[in-house]
Amino acid sequence: MLPFLLIVEEFETRSKLEQIYDNYKKIAYWTAYDILKDHYEAEDVVQDAMIKVANIIDGIEDVNCNKTRALIVIIVRNLSFNIYNRRKKIINTNYDEIELISEDIDLDEKMIKLEQAEWMAEILGKINTSYADILILKYYYEYSNTEISNLLGITEG
């Protein structure tokens, strides 16, 4: 994360990005790891997500709120699914052989994941998650169609 922050010239922007990274790196990492089952790819996704957040940093008003956390999770989840789908096309992996490293997860992280899952399931449980993410970004975060397509790595249509 340090090399990326060195290229950000404005102190306030760099400080805001550092706060976002410090506050949400664990939830972002475990969201990516839950999908990809690979530590290195999960770390890469978190870094890519921070780069995407840097592009929209002016639209983030409060760093310490559920709205910002949800935005980070949506970006990370979509980046992870993109990598997962690309990987699935290339290699057919037997995921039963992959060992989960659960001893690294403490109780707080499990509670955060549970709270996040319950919240998302309650509100958007009746529609496809891809559509739910788009709706959240469009109507809750008020991003344009172009911004949403850039964030999620999908076509605007």
Side-chain angles (χ1 to χ4, degrees), residues 33-74:
Y33 182 80
D34 192 42
I35 295 166
L36 298 170
K37 308 293 190 241
D38 183 279
H39 292 287
Y40 300 111
E41 283 184 335
E43 290 173 359
D44 289 343
V45 166
V46 172
Q47 298 303 313
D48 290 345
M50 289 300 123
I51 291 170
K52 287 192 179 283
V53 168
N55 292 330
I56 57 166
I57 194 73
D58 295 333
I60 299 174
E61 296 171 11
D62 186 9
V63 172
N64 299 315
C65 69
N66 286 335
K67 185 176 176 181
T68 304
R69 183 178 77 171
L71 176 65
I72 301 298
V73 169
I74 288 170

Side-chain angles (χ1 to χ4, degrees), residues 70-78 120 133 136-137 141 152:
L71 176 65
I72 301 298
V73 169
I74 288 170
I75 292 170
V76 167
R77 187 173 53 220
N78 281 284
M120 294 298 278
D133 292 344
I136 290 170
L137 291 172
Y141 292 101
L152 301 182

